[in-house]
Amino acid sequence: MQRLRSSLDPFILSLLATVAIASVLPARGAGARAFSDLSTAGICLLFFLHGARLSPRAALDGMRQWRLHLLIFTLTFVVFPLLMLPLTLLEPGLIPHELFVGLVFLSVLPSTVQSSIAFTSIARGNVAAAVCSASMSNLIGVVLSPLLVSVLLGANARVSGSSMLSVAAQLLLPFLAGQLLRSRISPALKRHPRALASVDRGSVLIVVYTAFGAGVVAGIWHRVSWQQLVAVGVIDVALLAIVLTISTVGARMLGFDRGDRIAAVFCGSKKSLASGLPMATLLFPAATVSTIVLPLMIFHQIQLIACAALSRRYARRQAPEALADGAGPQASALAAAS
């Protein structure tokens, strides 16, 4: 029971509560439009703060390790989509078409920012590389993820020049604005390190409520059975386990040191809910979005639980010489800021 309580992150419980509220009290009419506008504003604010937080010096330090970033980007945008190919045999027999689309959509999304950095720092890995890789993954994903959706899903998504511009307007432009205003905003973020986490989680919860509320109105729970949800959960667990194994073995085979291996594992194995939800609302019909994002939401909870346990295991197994090199203080400071 103690392990279960430590594994159940309050954010996971908040996500489940938000889905429950949206199932019972979905927003309708003018309320739905207001929540849609609020979710857009929340995501823009989130990426603005991420841009204000990223230090150019940390980005430059991290970018020098191009081999590590190439491995992480390959895991994120190549290995994940390739692992989806066998699922064509399960659709539509085991899982309905919309859930299959959701699994493919999950596979092309960028890595997380907050949790990749936090777990890397808890495990005392290369935090500078994690900051750079996770941030660059999201910037590249603004363009690359919709393109991969277009290639892999074709007519199932409405990818166009205007939709890609909308994605860039919601994610990329606020990030760049945050970079431009970093000198003014960064001191306040350092004084209030929990502000970014609050905006991160709050904006995601609003988007989840909006998407699921629209799905409930459209009859999502009449289209998805609990057996199909269990099947998606099993697929998500298998997907995460395979990628964690590939990232661990691949980083070791490429000769990376312990810190870089940890960054590869945590940055290359996760998918961003904060980026995925607004992308889904822009790339897919409103009536299907709530079903399509179900695999992503389930995967997000699984990756948090698994990576939290894995990061603590790395920390316990840390060699004494790693602390002597200063990884511990750096990780602890950045973990507090996360």
Side-chain angles (χ1 to χ4, degrees):
M1 289 297 296
Q2 186 175 358
R3 289 185 178 181
L4 179 61
R5 292 192 190 97
S6 64
S7 299
L8 288 177
D9 187 275
F11 181 53
I12 295 176
L13 299 178
S14 299
L15 278 173
L16 296 175
T18 300
V19 172
I21 293 172
S23 299
V24 178
L25 297 171
R28 303 174 185 267
R33 291 190 293 272
F35 269 100
S36 177
D37 293 339
L38 183 62
S39 65
T40 300
I43 292 296
C44 290
L45 176 60
L46 170 62
F47 277 81
F48 173 79
L49 294 178
H50 275 309
R53 180 192 181 192
L54 179 62
S55 166
R57 175 178 292 181
L60 289 175
D61 290 342
M63 287 180 67
R64 295 191 182 101
Q65 297 174 287
W66 63 270
R67 291 174 64 248
L68 174 60
H69 300 314
L70 182 60
L71 171 62
I72 292 172
F73 295 157
T74 300
L75 291 166
T76 303
F77 297 113
V78 178
V79 173
F80 262 103
L82 287 177
L83 291 174
M84 287 295 108
L85 295 180
L87 291 183
T88 55
L89 301 175
L90 303 178
E91 187 265 337
L94 181 61
I95 54 176
H97 180 67
E98 289 178 3
L99 289 179
F100 170 75
V101 171
L103 286 165
V104 175
F105 175 65
L106 155 71
S107 72
V108 302
L109 290 174
S111 179
T112 62
V113 177
Q114 281 289 95
S115 58
S116 292
I117 297 170
F119 288 137
T120 301
S121 61
I122 291 170
R124 296 184 170 88
N126 188 337
V127 180
V131 170
C132 178
S133 187
S135 301
M136 291 301 296
S137 176
N138 275 263
L139 295 180
I140 293 172
V142 169
V143 176
L144 187 56
S145 293
L147 288 176
L148 289 173
V149 167
S150 179
V151 171
L152 297 176
L153 295 174
N156 292 290
R158 51 187 185 189
V159 180
S160 62
S162 60
S163 64
M164 291 185 66
L165 286 175
S166 298
V167 172
Q170 280 198 29
L171 307 181
L172 180 59
L173 292 182
F175 185 92
L176 296 177
Q179 280 281 284
L180 292 174
L181 297 175
R182 182 181 181 277
S183 60
R184 298 183 179 182
I185 300 172
S186 181
L189 290 178
K190 291 179 179 179
R191 289 194 301 270
H192 306 284
R194 296 184 179 179
L196 183 56
S198 299
V199 173
D200 189 347
R201 299 184 175 197
S203 60
V204 168
L205 292 177
I206 293 172
V207 176
V208 168
Y209 174 80
T210 304
F212 264 85
V216 169
V217 173
I220 178 177
W221 299 124
H222 297 292
R223 301 197 302 266
V224 181
S225 67
W226 69 267
Q227 294 94 334
Q228 292 165 342
L229 287 178
V230 170
V232 170
V234 171
I235 293 171
D236 279 347
V237 169
L239 181 63
L240 179 61
I242 292 171
V243 175
L244 283 172
T245 302
I246 293 174
S247 60
T248 302
V249 175
R252 186 177 292 115
M253 290 178 63
L254 290 171
F256 292 128
D257 62 23
R258 180 184 183 278
D260 289 350
R261 292 199 304 269
I262 290 173
V265 167
F266 289 116
C267 294
S269 63
K270 289 200 289 304
K271 294 294 182 176
S272 174
L273 189 66
S275 296
L277 290 176
M279 279 191 194
T281 61
L282 295 170
L283 299 178
F284 299 101
T288 64
V289 166
S290 54
T291 307
I292 289 173
V293 300
L294 269 175
L296 172 60
M297 289 190 59
I298 296 171
F299 186 86
H300 184 267
Q301 297 171 32
I302 293 169
Q303 73 182 10
L304 286 180
I305 295 172
C307 290
L310 187 60
S311 65
R312 290 193 292 266
R313 181 181 178 186
Y314 271 120
R316 288 195 300 267
R317 294 174 58 184
Q318 182 194 27
E321 57 268 21
L323 285 172
D325 291 337
Q330 177 196 33
S332 300
L334 284 166
S338 300

